[in-house]
C-alpha cells in the first residue's frame, strides 16, 4: 500500500506538517521573547513546564474522553479551541502590558488542547489503517517533523534579521488557522465502541490495568520517564546556556538547532534499514547506550557546531526510540483502550519533566550549566541497565 496515494493519509500528513511548522515557529521565537523580556533562565524553564504540565495533570483524564468521544470531533474542535486561545495569547504578548502569569496560564491551556489533539490523532490511526502499517506511518510522520525542524530554525534565525518577533507570533497564529480549516476535511470515523458503559474512575483504572499488563510497553514507559527527566534538565536551559554562557548569536542558535534537527532526519530514514538486521528492542536499547556517550561529550562542547552535532545524534536517537514506542503502543493496545493507555503512559513519561525543568532553571540561575550534562548521562545509563536486565533487546 502506497500511503502517499491515500487521500486520508494525505490529509493527516498535511495536518501533521502544519502542526510541526506551528510548533517549530512557536518553540523558536517564544524563548527569545522571554529572554529579551526577563533575562531569566527560570522564567524560560517555567514556560516549558506549562507546556508539559497538562500531560502530568490531565493525561489520564484526557485519555478517557478520547476513548469516549468521536476522535475526529476531538481533533476538529480541539484544533479550533487551541487556535482561539493562541490568538488571545499573541494579542496579550504583542498588544498589551502583561505579567508572566498571563502567559503561563494561557500556555497551559494551549498545551492541554494540543495534548488532546495529539492523543486523538494517535488513536484515530488504527481506525483508518491496518496495524501492520503503524511503524511505517510513525516513521513518515517523524520524517516530516524532522524536515521541518531542520529547515525551520536556520530559516527563522535568518528571517529574524528582517522580521520582528511580533510578526513571527502572528505567523504562528495563521498556521494554526490553516490547521483548523484542514481538520474539517478529515474523513469521519465511528466513535469507539466500549464493551460496557462505566464511570470515569472505572475507565481510568482500565487504562492503568491495560498498561501495567503490557510488560514490554511498561518497561519502555519507565525508561522514557528517566530519559525525559535527563532531557528536561537540559532543554529548559539550553537556549539560556547558548546565549548567556557560550555567547552564541541568534543566527548561530538557529543554525545549531538546524544541525540538531538533521539528526531526526537520519533517525527517521535509517530505522527502516536497521529493522532488517535488528529487532526493535535492540534498536531501542543500543540507541540509549549511544546517548550516554553523547551526553558526556556535551560537557566538553563549546562551539555551536559541536553542540549542534551532538544534539543531532540525540535527536536521531529520540526519533528512533519514539517511532519504536508509538508503533508498539498502537500495535499492542486494543483500540477502545488506546486513548487511556496513551494518557496513562504519557502521564508517567512526562511526570519528571516539570521537576527537571524547574531544577534546571534554578541550577542555571546560580551555577554553571555544563555539569548538568554528565548528570543526565548517569540517569540515561540507569535506563540501559533496566533494558539489559529485562532483555528488552529481544523484543521484535
Amino acid at each position: 500500500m502506497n500511503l502517499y496515494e491515500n487521500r486520508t493519509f494525505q490529509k493527516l500528513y498535511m495536518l501533521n506538517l502544519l502542526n510541526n511548522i506551528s510548533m517549530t515557529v512557536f518553540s523558536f521565537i517564544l524563548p527569545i521573547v522571554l529572554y529579551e523580556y526577563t533575562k531569566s533562565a527560570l522564567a524560560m524553564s517555567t514556560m516549558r513546564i506549562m507546556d508539559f504540565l497538562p500531560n502530568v495533570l490531565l493525561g489520564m483524564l484526557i485519555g478517557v474522553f478520547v476513548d469516549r468521544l468521536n476522535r475526529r470531533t476531538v481533533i476538529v474542535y480541539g484544533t479550533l479551541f487551541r487556535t482561539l486561545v493562541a490568538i488571545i495569547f499573541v494579542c496579550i504578548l504583542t498588544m498589551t502590558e502583561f505579567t508572566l502569569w498571563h502567559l503561563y496560564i494561557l500556555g497551559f491551556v494551549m498545551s492541554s488542547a494540543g495534548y488532546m489533539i495529539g492523543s486523538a490523532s494517535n488513536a484515530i490511526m488504527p481506525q483508518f489503517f491496518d496495524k501492520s502499517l503503524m511503524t511505517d506511518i510513525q516513521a513518515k510522520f517523524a520524517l516530516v517533523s524532522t524536515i521541518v525542524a531542520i529547515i525551520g530554525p536556520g530559516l527563522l534565525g535568518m528571517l529574524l534579521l528582517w522580521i520582528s518577533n511580533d510578526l513571527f507570533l502572528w505567523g504562528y497564529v495563521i498556521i494554526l488557522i490553516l490547521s483548523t480549516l484542514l481538520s474539517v476535511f478529515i474523513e469521519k470515523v465511528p466513535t469507539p465502541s466500549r464493551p460496557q458503559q462505566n464511570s470515569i474512575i472505572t475507565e481510568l483504572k482500565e487504562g492503568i490495568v491495560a498498561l501495567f499488563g503490557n510488560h514490554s510497553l511498561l518497561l519502555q514507559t519507565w525508561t522514557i520517564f528517566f530519559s525525559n527527566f535527563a532531557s528536561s534538565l537540559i532543554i529548559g536551559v539550553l537556549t539560556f546556556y547558548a546565549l548567556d554562557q557560550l555567547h552564541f548569536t541568534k543566527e548561530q542558535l538557529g543554525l545549531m538547532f538546524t544541525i540538531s534537527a538533521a539528526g531526526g532526519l537520519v533517525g527517521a530514514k535509517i530505522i527502516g534499514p536497521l529493522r532488517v538486521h535488528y529487532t526493535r528492542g535492540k534498536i531501542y536499547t543500543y540507541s540509549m547506550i549511544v546517548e550516554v556517550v553523547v551526553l558526556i561529550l556535551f560537557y566538553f562542547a563549546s562551539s555551536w557546531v559541536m553542540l549542534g552535532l551532538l544534539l543531532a545524534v540525540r535527536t536521531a536517537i529520540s526519533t528512533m526510540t519514539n517511532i519504536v514506542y508509538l508503533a508498539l503502543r498502537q500495535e499492542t493496545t486494543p483500540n477502545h483502550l488506546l486513548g487511556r493507555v496513551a494518557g496513562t503512559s504519557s502521564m508517567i513519561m512526562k511526570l519528571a519533566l516539570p521537576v527537571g525543568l524547574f531544577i534546571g532553571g534554578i541550577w542555571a540561575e546560580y551555577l554553571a550549566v555544563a555539569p548538568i550534562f554528565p548528570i543526565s548521562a548517569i540517569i540515561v545509563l540507569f535506563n540501559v541497565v533496566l533494558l539489559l536486565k529485562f532483555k528488552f533487546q529481544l523484543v521484535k
Side-chain angles (χ1 to χ4, degrees):
M1 178 182 179
N2 189 339
L3 287 168
Y4 290 117
E5 295 178 358
N6 183 288
R7 295 296 298 274
T8 300
F9 181 79
Q10 290 171 0
K11 295 170 188 175
L12 293 170
Y13 188 80
M14 183 59 67
L15 187 62
N16 180 59
L17 173 63
L18 290 174
N19 283 334
N20 277 284
I21 292 174
S22 67
M23 285 189 295
T24 299
V25 173
F26 192 70
S27 298
F28 179 82
I29 195 62
L30 186 61
I32 293 174
V33 172
L34 289 177
Y35 177 75
E36 293 178 349
Y37 182 74
T38 67
K39 298 294 189 297
S40 169
L42 183 58
M44 297 163 73
S45 292
T46 303
M47 195 68 220
R48 293 288 292 178
I49 290 173
M50 293 301 107
D51 189 32
F52 292 117
L53 205 56
N55 292 271
V56 177
L57 299 180
L58 305 175
M60 293 174 64
L61 188 61
I62 287 174
V64 169
F65 286 107
V66 166
D67 283 342
R68 283 187 169 199
L69 303 174
N70 185 282
R71 280 137 185 193
R72 178 187 176 276
T73 301
V74 172
I75 293 171
V76 173
Y77 286 99
T79 305
L80 174 62
F81 177 74
R82 181 181 59 180
T83 301
L84 294 175
V85 177
I87 292 172
I88 297 172
F89 183 93
V90 174
C91 283
I92 290 176
L93 197 60
T94 60
M95 297 183 180
T96 64
E97 292 294 326
F98 64 89
T99 65
L100 287 174
W101 283 107
H102 293 147
L103 304 185
Y104 295 156
I105 293 171
L106 289 172
F108 177 85
V109 174
M110 288 167 58
S111 182
S112 299
Y115 177 75
M116 178 170 277
I117 296 164
S119 182
S121 299
N122 177 66
I124 205 173
M125 290 299 173
Q127 293 186 268
F128 284 129
F129 308 103
D130 188 87
K131 288 188 176 182
S132 63
L133 296 171
M134 292 302 106
T135 299
D136 190 24
I137 289 172
Q138 291 302 331
K140 285 178 168 55
F141 278 13
L143 181 61
V144 71
S145 65
T146 301
I147 291 173
V148 171
I150 290 172
I151 297 172
L155 179 60
L156 295 174
M158 289 185 288
L159 289 175
L160 207 55
L161 296 172
W162 299 285
I163 299 177
S164 68
N165 293 345
D166 289 1
L167 285 178
F168 267 107
L169 291 167
W170 283 113
Y172 163 70
V173 169
I174 291 171
I175 297 166
L176 287 184
I177 292 172
L178 293 175
S179 297
T180 304
L181 295 174
L182 179 60
S183 67
V184 176
F185 294 97
I186 296 174
E187 285 79 0
K188 295 181 179 180
V189 293
T191 301
S193 59
R194 294 181 288 160
Q196 57 185 11
Q197 304 294 318
N198 292 316
S199 67
I200 290 178
I201 298 298
T202 300
E203 293 191 2
L204 286 172
K205 291 179 180 177
E206 289 176 351
I208 296 172
V209 170
L211 174 61
F212 278 74
N214 188 335
H215 300 298
S216 294
L217 190 65
L218 182 63
L219 177 60
Q220 280 185 289
T221 299
W222 281 115
T223 57
I224 293 177
F225 167 86
F226 290 113
S227 288
N228 281 344
F229 181 66
S231 295
S232 67
L233 292 174
I234 299 171
I235 58 177
V237 299
L238 188 58
T239 299
F240 175 82
Y241 178 60
L243 294 174
D244 194 79
Q245 297 187 14
L246 296 182
H247 307 294
F248 294 172
T249 65
K250 292 178 184 178
E251 293 74 29
Q252 288 174 332
L253 184 69
L255 291 170
M256 181 188 77
F257 283 125
T258 299
I259 296 173
S260 166
L265 179 61
V266 174
K269 292 295 290 184
I270 67 173
I271 192 167
L274 286 175
R275 284 280 289 120
V276 176
H277 303 287
Y278 303 99
T279 64
R280 287 183 289 190
K282 285 183 179 179
I283 294 171
Y284 191 92
T285 303
Y286 298 161
S287 293
M288 289 205 173
I289 294 174
V290 175
E291 185 175 8
V292 173
V293 178
V294 169
L295 286 171
I296 293 172
L297 294 176
F298 263 63
Y299 181 80
F300 303 99
S302 58
S303 71
W304 63 268
V305 176
M306 179 60 70
L307 199 56
L309 290 172
L310 291 173
L311 284 168
V313 178
R314 281 204 75 227
T315 305
I317 291 168
S318 177
T319 299
M320 290 191 291
T321 53
N322 282 337
I323 288 171
V324 170
Y325 180 80
L326 291 172
L328 287 175
R329 188 170 69 185
Q330 288 174 323
E331 291 172 13
T332 60
T333 304
N335 192 258
H336 72 281
L337 290 168
L338 193 51
R340 280 166 284 173
V341 169
T344 305
S345 60
S346 182
M347 184 203 72
I348 294 173
M349 291 187 295
K350 300 294 176 66
L351 196 61
L353 283 168
V355 178
L357 287 166
F358 182 75
I359 292 173
I362 293 292
W363 184 297
E365 286 286 314
Y366 302 104
L367 301 170
V369 173
I372 286 180
F373 301 129
I375 292 172
S376 298
I378 294 171
I379 296 170
V380 177
L381 181 61
F382 178 71
N383 276 346
V384 176
V385 174
L386 279 179
L387 292 167
L388 293 175
K389 178 181 179 181
F390 291 100
K391 297 181 171 58
F392 186 78
Q393 65 271 25
L394 300 179
V395 172
K396 295 183 178 180

